Amino acid sequence: MLLITCPYCREARPEVEFAYAGEAHIARPADPSAVGDAAWRDHLYIRSNTRGLHRERWRHVNGCGRFFNAVRDTVTDKFAATYKAGAPCPIDFAREGAER
Amino acid sequence: MIQARMIQEWKTLAGTPIPEVAGRLSVALAPDCARFSLRVRPDDRAALDAPLGIALPDRIGGVAVGAGGHALCLGPDEWSLLLPAEAAAGLGERLGAAVTVPFSLVDVGHREVGIAVSGPAATLALSSLCALDLDAMPAGSATRTILDRAQAVLIKHDAEQYRIEVWQSFADHVWTLLEVVSREIALDL
Amino acid sequence: MSDARVIDTGDTPARPSAATAPAIGRGLRVPGRGRNAAAAPVRFTFDGRTITGRAGDTLAAALLADGIHLVGRSFKYHRPRGILSAGSEEPNALVGTDRGDGRYEPNTRATTAEIFEGFRASSQNRWPSLRHDVGAVNDSLYMLFSAGFYYKTFMWPKSFWNTVYEPLIRGAAGLGAPPTERDPDSYAARHAHCDLLVVGAGAAGLAAALAGARGGAKVILVDEQAEAGGWLLSEPEVTIDGRTAWTWLADTLRTLAAMPNVTVLNRTTAIGYYHQNFVGLCQRLTDHLAQVPEGAPRERLWKVRAKQVVLAQGAIEKPLVFAGNDRPGVMLAGAARTYLNRYGVRVGDRAVVVTAHDAAWAAAFDLARAGTTVPLIVDIRPVVGGDLLAQARSLGIETLCGGTVTDTRGRLRVSAVRVNPVDAAGRAGGGRWVACDALLMSGGWTPSLHLFSHTGGKLVWDEADQVFLPGRATEACRCAGAGTGRFGLAAALADGAAAGAAAAVDAGHPAETPAFAVQGEGSMAGTACRDLPTDRNGAFAKAFVDFQNDVLAKDIRLAVREGFRSVEHIKRYTTNGMATDQGKTSNINGLQIAADALGRAAPSVGLTTFRPPYTPTTFGAFAGYNRGRLFEVTRRTPIDAWAAERGAVYEPVSLWRRARYFPQPGEDMHAAVARECRAVRAGVGLFDASTLGKIEIVGPDAATFMNRMYTNAWTKLEPGRCRYGLLLGEDGFIRDDGVIGRMAPDRFHVTTTTGGAARVLTTMEDYLQTEWPDLNVWLTSTTEQWAVIAVQGPSARAVIEPLVEGIDLAPGRFPHMAVAEGRICGVPTRLFRVSFTGELGFEVNVPSRYGRAVWEAIHEAGRAHGIVPYGTETMHVLRAEKGYIIVGQDTDGTLTPADAGLDWAIGKAKPDFVGKRSLARPDMHRPDRKQLVGLLTQDPNVVLEEGAQIVAERDGPIPRTMIGHVTSAYWSEALGRSIALAVVAGGKSLQGRTVYVPMPDAVHAATVGGTAFLDPENTRLAV
């Protein structure tokens, strides 16, 4: 069982308190009706499926209830960072060379 | 008229007491109280302190005492109020009249059951249900967590006094598990 | 083995004469020797025979003390097998144990099972008896059972697999039989947190715990054995700080016990090591007890989170690989020493030793001094230390350095061993037979790195010692003692102390490293070897590598000849290391042989991955408390007990149990549901709807939020009114629905499906927190705040009207889809006028602790109107008659509102809501989408099967194109016929057409129609 640091509680807490919530930084378009069919399909269904550092969302559902973002290595399962929703990713993916 | 008949409250776990482990562990239903879920933006929080009569804790996990009850900070914009009936009466109206910032107050007095776990073995008993490091949990703090498979709020008053607040329909599971764990602790294996 | 297969028939085995033949079973227990020398006698049975052992014995120790080596038959060849080891690595001695009261467990290692008065054990995989086993014919057919025999032998013909091969394999092969009774035991679980977890309470682990704990760190020290001490228990003569090993051990354990920050757990196996120093421990609490206290759990699974871990797991002795090395009586030299020194048991009267390591010499000397004749020590190495040779000479032991063992004899126990010299070129010379009743072997030691390997820690190959050692750790973890390849007591103590102190410092506690002075320690030098050289044709040699899976050295060589290169493939092809012992005694030998056959260095061939659990672990331990009533949470409503008292039949709905119907005496489900349906349509029914999900949505932006989440328009909904709400996913498909009441301009009372409650709240929180954090609105689950009592039927108003205060229920004042707050039976209520039945209906929400009393009051008030409680089955029928969908039953995540005939619920003028954009995708408008329709069977008495597929033609080639399926089907009491809902491709355009539903009994014709079967004009609602 992993320990996950909730950026709101500022505490490492057991994995059973958390729920995974998919890839992070996929913002809902402000005006979906202005988005073309192909772009909307990509928004709905196309994900990076990264091997390595992956930006993803978690929810401290059995704790403070907040959704937050995390960078986790999908190979080692280790969390590189967790940060509040809306905050910029603290890891420079271009520099890490981990972006898809 | 049927309206005049006294309505009996149905207490989920009443009638299934858990035997005490003498001098070590006691598990009992906590006295009922009024409960509210209070939501307000963190920046607006202080506006509610005076009308509530409690200084709402500003840190997740914080517990404040006031108005004869407790205010638990469970999330960045979420407080749980456990209050005596007299402090709860008309609370919504009083806050509505006194507070101008947006907030949400919802009566959840019947949603939960309170369970008091106390004694020198209380932490040990709860460690069978809870993955948190309860020794490291500060006295006078509270958190939402998972107890076996039930979401609950765990309040640690001190090293030997805990209170569980759990939804009615999950209470039997937690209670039955505490009963099993009490027996196990009594056997001292 | 018949003599015919002995190639050099010239050298006949020397058989012990009658005069020197040992009297088996007598005098094997050395008086005054062993940890339990003074312990009480304990009677137990093995295969029905009563044997007396001593308290503190393992089953293996007690059997050996009785002269019993033969304890089982092997997995594949049914060869007689004995006791190889003295610990949890045992591959051979698996038995069934019966602890009474249905407590039966197969495949228990005799080397770890502790005996007690009344304990019963039985041998496995033999028929009719252990001594005479029919399956042993496999041993003569061994050429058929070579590496990969499953793949080669049982391939063709295909039809033989089910009829011949599988029953044959299942009948002949295998280990113990599973228990037939329900497990009567209970199991426990506990989380623990510590600064330092030390795995293994041998010398290194004890030193680590001492060093770690002195500065105040919270330490947990665990050991899988019944008592702490590890190898100290087997080597009592050595001294530490001037005290004998056992005195030092007792003092150390006393010291640790007196420290409040230290927990020592015996009989506790660290089974798995997971991320972030999360370690699973299985503690065996009662298996060793003759009297299990009432209600005591059998095992406890500890889930430990440690800041630092020290792995002091020690090392496992390697068998030597030579022909006949599996015969009962052939055992690891270190195990023989353990049986002697720890349990006071000599494993034989005449023991030959064959070794590649100094340690086995010490075992020989201990046994010789205890009265066992040791005729010969064969050492693989041409040169050994002079002091060992001198000691052997002084004890009258013949030695052969630079020798090998090439065969053994003895039907059910070794009676002789064939010994050969080996020349400088490594060739074995002619053999001679030496009589013995025990053959002790040692191939050196394998550091135990299983837990380290669980973490993904890298192993590095040590060329000098030919062992894998721990390399770079991935966790906050240190290895100490023999597990690091630093063998010997002094090294273990020093290493453990250093590791414990360093770990304590890393965990934030002061520490100092104690020093220990060790005297009298034996030397720990040795060499590594693959299968021993032989003068015979190796193709016939039954030299076992994996004893439990019957894998021979030649099987591994064959696999390499057949092209396997990776150790992972060789493992799976030969099954080496795949038995319940996970190859603890076989992996390294298998690797050495594979590397030799490949002509490559061992590390390039690789080591197979160790996976949890370290030793076989009961399912019970993993289940913990979660069995029986605690298997899963069973949510019950406040009215559940009332229903139970009236004999309700329940069905599970997500975690809830809900009353499905209320049978009267003599009624089956059909009759009960028909009666309940008639009551609601003609009079009034009472239904517990408390499980409906409820969410209170509060804040100045509540209506804005509702507009964005739900398809419907909410702005104009007045307080005091309700609306059916439809929730889509962003993909445009139906996710949930429910009636939503506006209690105030800034407050909505949302209901969801029972199963969707948590999911809907999560979805709403997701959008609110991450997409629209600017909205001033908050969501609170009130599912359990309210008990919900649905009162449905033409008489509903008449029943509740006298009970309600503060709400005028007159039709004009409180119309369909109205909501109001007032009182009922003197308690607060949110009263909804809503209907999921098509009848006049109310849903009475009261704070849940009042639920039962208000239910009873309504039931009482309804008697005059013939009120009937009804369950979910009737609810389903009544709603289906009206064509009301159940999300998740009539929808499956691929239906749009239009598909389900719910486009009327879409607020067309709204610029956006969740899912709106997807509804504009071209595929959402294809005419051949599956659409919800009603079906009426041509035979009105046929109720279709839910899930049955629908085809367009009665006849035609198979497979037929399936154009849809039945989602709901019931007997409608109101219509006197069956009804069904279905999704059918292009269903809306098929109105009036006939489709066909193949079912097991017949193909049924049905006519496509609308979904509202009853009162489509809703006249019954407007009363």
Side-chain angles (χ1 to χ4, degrees):
Chain A
M1 179 163 61
L2 297 170
L3 287 175
I4 300 172
T5 299
C6 172
Y8 293 91
C9 298
R10 283 173 291 175
E11 207 181 323
R13 306 268 293 206
E15 186 184 342
V16 287
E17 292 186 353
F18 296 85
Y20 181 69
E23 187 167 354
H25 299 291
I26 298 173
R28 187 175 191 268
D31 181 8
S33 64
V35 177
D37 281 340
W40 184 251
R41 174 204 61 203
D42 290 357
H43 169 72
L44 285 182
Y45 298 117
I46 304 303
R47 297 293 179 265
S48 65
N49 197 25
T50 304
R51 183 182 192 278
L53 291 181
H54 182 236
R55 296 181 299 191
E56 57 197 25
R57 303 182 331 129
W58 286 78
R59 185 180 183 211
H60 195 186
V61 58
N62 296 303
C64 69
R66 305 308 288 185
F67 284 86
F68 61 89
N69 292 330
V71 180
R72 182 181 58 100
D73 190 318
T74 58
V75 178
T76 63
D77 229 9
K78 284 195 172 151
F79 282 82
T82 56
Y83 51 104
K84 291 181 180 179
C89 178
I91 290 177
D92 182 348
F93 269 63
R95 200 166 52 83
E96 299 278 329
E99 193 90 272
R100 59 181 125 133
Chain B
M1 282 296 283
I2 295 170
Q3 287 108 305
R5 204 176 71 178
M6 274 296 287
I7 283 292
Q8 289 286 312
E9 285 191 40
W10 177 261
K11 303 282 181 65
T12 308
L13 300 169
T16 56
I18 296 177
E20 190 169 327
V21 184
R24 300 181 60 203
L25 179 64
S26 154
V27 181
L29 283 177
D32 261 318
C33 62
R35 302 173 176 89
F36 295 92
S37 176
L38 174 64
R39 308 291 299 273
V40 64
R41 288 187 183 272
D43 293 346
D44 294 339
R45 167 187 51 81
L48 286 103
D49 288 356
L52 274 173
I54 308 178
L56 291 174
D58 62 352
R59 183 181 47 80
I60 298 174
V63 175
V65 180
H70 294 92
L72 327 172
C73 183
L74 300 179
D77 64 351
E78 181 185 2
W79 288 263
S80 171
L81 308 178
L82 307 180
L83 299 173
E86 55 276 17
L91 181 64
E93 291 73 17
R94 277 186 281 130
L95 287 186
V99 177
T100 54
V101 300
F103 71 96
S104 157
L105 184 77
V106 176
D107 182 350
V108 291
H110 285 237
R111 187 176 70 173
E112 279 141 37
V113 178
I115 300 171
V117 183
S118 54
T123 303
L124 183 67
L126 288 168
S127 73
S128 282
L129 287 72
C130 182
L132 294 174
D133 185 351
L134 297 172
D135 281 326
M137 183 177 179
S141 71
T143 183
R144 196 183 280 119
T145 186
I146 283 273
L147 300 180
D148 190 46
R149 291 168 187 199
Q151 189 188 81
V153 171
L154 182 65
I155 306 161
K156 180 175 180 178
H157 295 302
D158 60 48
E160 298 189 3
Q161 308 279 336
Y162 294 86
R163 178 178 173 129
I164 296 167
E165 285 278 308
V166 60
W167 287 9
Q168 293 274 357
S169 72
F170 291 89
D172 177 76
H173 187 86
V174 172
W175 186 257
T176 305
L177 192 41
L178 285 168
E179 186 182 2
V180 170
V181 170
S182 288
R183 273 205 308 271
E184 182 186 331
I185 285 174
L187 286 166
D188 210 11
L189 279 170
Chain C
M1 184 184 285
S2 72
D3 281 355
R5 193 157 291 125
V6 179
I7 294 167
D8 53 344
T9 49
D11 49 11
T12 49
R15 296 182 189 281
S17 69
T20 59
I24 297 242
R26 260 173 286 144
L28 291 171
R29 191 79 78 159
V30 184
R33 191 112 182 199
R35 300 283 291 170
N36 59 348
V42 165
R43 277 165 307 166
F44 68 101
T45 67
F46 180 64
D47 281 345
R49 192 165 77 81
T50 299
I51 299 171
T52 302
R54 273 188 197 154
D57 277 348
T58 61
L59 175 61
L63 290 173
L64 291 168
D66 203 57
I68 297 171
H69 276 259
L70 172 68
V71 291
R73 291 274 176 171
S74 74
F75 175 70
K76 200 156 80 177
Y77 301 126
H78 286 247
R79 282 169 67 95
R81 286 288 165 80
I83 296 158
L84 182 75
S85 74
S88 67
E89 70 271 30
E90 177 63 33
N92 263 351
L94 304 186
V95 298
T97 57
D98 182 350
R99 293 170 292 113
D101 301 327
R103 294 182 164 94
Y104 172 80
E105 184 182 80
N107 306 330
T108 307
R109 286 146 294 162
T111 51
T112 61
E114 297 172 61
I115 61 164
F116 51 80
E117 188 71 26
F119 178 77
R120 291 194 295 271
S122 51
S123 56
Q124 300 181 158
N125 200 27
R126 80 288 188 272
W127 185 85
S129 76
L130 182 57
R131 296 178 70 83
H132 303 280
D133 173 30
V134 168
V137 67
N138 286 5
D139 194 25
S140 308
L141 302 175
Y142 73 101
M143 293 304 281
L144 287 178
F145 291 91
S146 61
F149 82 100
Y150 286 103
Y151 311 111
K152 292 169 181 166
T153 312
F154 299 113
M155 287 295 281
W156 298 280
K158 190 180 171 189
S159 62
F160 269 35
W161 179 255
N162 286 331
T163 54
V164 179
Y165 295 145
E166 190 178 348
L168 181 81
I169 293 169
R170 290 207 188 284
L175 299 169
T180 54
E181 308 292 315
R182 181 190 151 85
D183 184 351
D185 278 310
S186 61
Y187 297 82
R190 185 174 286 170
H191 292 274
H193 304 261
C194 62
D195 294 305
L196 173 57
L197 171 69
V198 181
V199 177
L206 290 164
L210 273 180
R214 281 199 173 130
K218 192 172 165 188
V219 175
I220 298 177
L221 171 65
V222 300
D223 195 281
E224 62 175 348
Q225 300 204 40
E227 60 174 328
W231 185 251
L232 291 172
L233 302 170
S234 301
E235 197 172 0
E237 280 94 30
V238 67
T239 67
I240 304 168
D241 295 342
R243 287 168 287 174
T244 66
W246 290 1
T247 304
W248 182 86
L249 174 62
D251 291 348
T252 301
L253 290 173
R254 237 189 328 272
T255 304
L256 291 172
M259 300 170 89
N261 54 324
V262 177
T263 305
V264 181
L265 301 173
N266 294 335
R267 298 188 180 90
T268 303
T269 306
I271 56 172
Y273 190 160
Y274 308 91
H275 285 306
Q276 290 160 300
N277 274 357
F278 190 64
V279 182
L281 313 175
C282 182
Q283 182 184 22
R284 292 170 294 282
L285 298 167
T286 59
D287 271 9
H288 62 291
L289 299 177
Q291 293 294 324
V292 178
E294 178 69 28
R298 180 188 176 204
E299 293 175 343
R300 177 184 291 131
L301 190 72
W302 290 72
K303 292 168 259 188
V304 178
R305 184 76 68 177
K307 286 187 184 143
Q308 297 286 322
V309 170
V310 170
L311 297 174
Q313 290 185 275
I316 293 171
E317 196 167 19
K318 278 187 290 190
L320 290 167
V321 181
F322 56 86
N325 64 344
D326 67 324
R327 215 172 286 285
V330 182
M331 109 172 358
L332 293 167
R337 201 170 177 207
T338 295
Y339 289 117
L340 177 65
N341 289 328
R342 185 166 166 188
Y343 302 101
V345 175
R346 295 185 297 115
V347 299
D349 280 315
R350 191 175 163 85
V352 170
V353 175
V354 54
T355 183
H357 198 275
D358 290 347
W361 291 69
F365 301 154
D366 280 1
L367 276 163
R369 291 194 196 100
T372 290
T373 302
V374 181
L376 176 65
I377 298 174
V378 181
D379 202 306
I380 310 307
R381 300 168 293 178
V383 180
V384 299
D387 51 332
L388 294 179
L389 294 170
Q391 271 199 72
R393 205 173 307 119
S394 75
L395 288 164
I397 302 172
E398 184 192 341
T399 57
L400 170 60
C401 295
T404 185
V405 166
T406 52
D407 202 0
T408 64
R409 285 181 194 271
R411 193 172 80 83
L412 298 175
R413 176 163 175 184
V414 66
S415 63
V417 54
R418 187 169 178 271
V419 176
N420 311 48
V422 176
D423 65 20
R427 281 187 301 268
R432 63 174 165 125
W433 287 92
V434 180
C436 63
D437 65 357
L439 175 57
L440 313 183
M441 58 181 168
S442 178
W445 303 78
T446 305
S448 198
L449 298 173
H450 299 72
L451 288 174
F452 183 79
S453 189
H454 290 176
T455 66
K458 292 285 169 286
L459 305 184
V460 293
W461 177 251
D462 183 280
E463 187 61 31
D465 285 345
Q466 296 280 297
V467 290
F468 279 104
L469 297 177
R472 187 177 51 77
T474 61
E475 297 285 340
C477 157
R478 289 173 174 80
C479 295
T484 66
R486 290 188 277 277
F487 297 111
L489 183 54
L493 288 166
D495 207 31
V505 169
D506 282 356
H509 292 271
E512 52 188 76
T513 310
F516 303 94
V518 175
Q519 286 189 318
E521 191 178 1
S523 77
M524 287 293 287
T527 188
C529 48
R530 46 179 203 273
D531 36 344
L532 297 187
T534 178
D535 56 332
R536 292 177 171 175
N537 182 348
F540 295 102
K542 281 190 195 158
F544 284 86
V545 179
D546 184 327
F547 293 82
Q548 198 173 115
N549 265 354
D550 273 351
V551 179
L552 301 163
K554 67 183 177 62
D555 291 330
I556 294 171
R557 293 184 183 280
L558 177 65
V560 169
R561 279 203 304 282
E562 292 183 355
F564 291 91
R565 292 293 176 270
S566 154
V567 72
E568 293 286 357
H569 295 153
I570 293 168
K571 165 182 166 174
R572 280 156 185 81
Y573 190 57
T574 62
T575 72
N576 192 57
M578 289 176 71
T580 65
D581 61 341
Q582 278 198 60
K584 289 188 178 65
T585 56
S586 65
N587 277 346
I588 290 292
N589 280 333
L591 172 63
Q592 298 267 12
I593 293 165
D596 180 59
L598 285 162
R600 283 158 51 187
S604 74
V605 181
L607 186 63
T608 55
T609 309
F610 297 110
R611 292 193 175 84
Y614 176 68
T615 49
T617 307
T618 62
F619 283 119
F622 290 111
Y625 302 108
N626 299 114
R627 59 178 301 184
R629 187 173 173 191
L630 290 169
F631 174 69
E632 181 53 284
V633 173
T634 302
R635 303 178 71 180
R636 295 177 177 84
T637 74
I639 295 149
D640 177 275
W642 186 94
E645 287 159 19
R646 275 145 194 88
V649 175
Y650 289 91
E651 68 170 341
V653 182
S654 63
L655 289 179
W656 293 96
R657 69 166 199 174
R658 301 191 71 182
R660 191 175 185 194
Y661 56 97
F662 292 81
Q664 299 284 312
E667 279 185 342
D668 60 6
M669 183 171 96
H670 180 80
V673 170
R675 173 181 51 74
E676 293 172 11
C677 286
R678 285 193 300 271
V680 175
R681 295 271 178 239
V684 60
L686 195 57
F687 176 69
D688 180 4
S690 302
T691 64
L692 281 181
K694 298 164 214 81
I695 302 167
E696 191 104 329
I697 297 188
V698 183
D701 295 324
T704 304
F705 180 72
M706 289 298 297
N707 277 331
R708 294 187 191 179
M709 288 307 305
Y710 281 83
T711 64
N712 321 65
W714 300 96
T715 312
K716 291 180 182 160
L717 183 71
E718 294 289 331
R721 297 290 298 169
C722 312
R723 182 163 285 170
Y724 170 81
L726 188 62
L727 184 71
L728 308 184
E730 199 67 272
D731 54 15
F733 299 124
I734 294 172
R735 289 293 198 282
D736 205 81
D737 67 354
V739 169
I740 294 161
R742 191 164 194 176
M743 309 310 299
D746 64 348
R747 186 175 293 253
F748 288 83
H749 178 119
V750 172
T751 68
T752 74
T753 59
T754 294
R759 197 165 52 238
V760 170
L761 184 56
T762 295
T763 302
M764 289 183 174
E765 282 286 352
D766 192 347
Y767 278 96
L768 182 56
Q769 290 182 29
T770 66
E771 302 292 352
W772 311 316
D774 53 310
L775 294 185
N776 279 313
V777 59
W778 292 273
L779 318 172
T780 304
S781 173
T782 50
T783 301
E784 301 221 29
Q785 167 69 11
W786 303 104
V788 183
I789 304 160
V791 188
Q792 301 277 316
S795 308
R797 182 184 295 113
V799 171
I800 65 164
E801 203 155 28
L803 308 177
V804 173
E805 291 172 277
I807 306 169
D808 183 350
L809 297 187
R813 308 298 300 274
F814 198 65
H816 183 56
M817 298 304 260
V819 60
E821 292 187 274
R823 298 184 88 78
I824 186 166
C825 308
V827 302
T829 181
R830 282 182 181 174
L831 184 65
F832 288 72
R833 186 175 159 191
V834 291
S835 172
F836 200 44
T837 58
E839 302 298 331
L840 169 66
F842 299 88
E843 288 187 359
V844 179
N845 286 248
V846 291
S848 62
R849 288 201 300 272
Y850 301 130
R852 174 159 180 175
V854 172
W855 171 281
E856 287 179 347
I858 295 173
H859 188 249
E860 183 63 31
R863 276 182 195 280
H865 303 273
I867 199 167
V868 163
Y870 66 95
T872 51
E873 189 66 22
T874 293
M875 176 268 282
H876 280 189
V877 175
L878 297 172
R879 65 89 201 176
E881 288 172 341
K882 290 292 294 178
Y884 299 153
I885 63 162
I886 290 192
V887 173
Q889 176 169 341
D890 300 301
T891 71
D892 60 2
T894 67
L895 257 62
T896 66
D899 296 339
L902 295 170
D903 10 12
W904 56 265
I906 292 177
K908 304 262 183 331
K910 292 203 296 180
D912 189 19
F913 57 81
V914 173
K916 179 179 170 73
R917 173 63 186 85
S918 290
L919 295 180
R921 296 179 65 211
D923 269 4
M924 301 303 222
H925 301 283
R926 283 168 48 157
D928 62 343
R929 291 190 59 81
K930 284 187 179 166
Q931 294 158 339
L932 191 71
V933 296
L935 287 186
L936 289 174
T937 49
Q938 289 181 357
D939 178 347
N941 291 313
V942 169
V943 179
L944 295 172
E945 275 183 22
E946 289 174 356
Q949 295 295 318
I950 297 168
V951 295
E953 306 292 336
R954 176 184 287 275
D955 303 304
I958 292 174
R960 210 83 51 78
T961 302
M962 295 175 286
I963 60 172
H965 67 274
V966 178
T967 62
S968 296
Y970 308 95
W971 174 259
S972 167
E973 186 70 5
L975 298 167
R977 60 153 301 137
S978 72
I979 57 170
L981 297 172
V983 290
V984 178
K988 284 178 184 167
S989 63
L990 296 177
Q991 299 287 314
R993 297 267 290 276
T994 301
V995 294
Y996 299 90
V997 184
M999 297 210 316
D1001 60 337
V1003 176
H1004 298 287
T1007 307
V1008 178
T1011 54
F1013 300 97
L1014 184 83
D1015 186 28
E1017 299 80 24
N1018 291 328
T1019 55
R1020 302 174 70 89
L1021 287 174
V1023 291

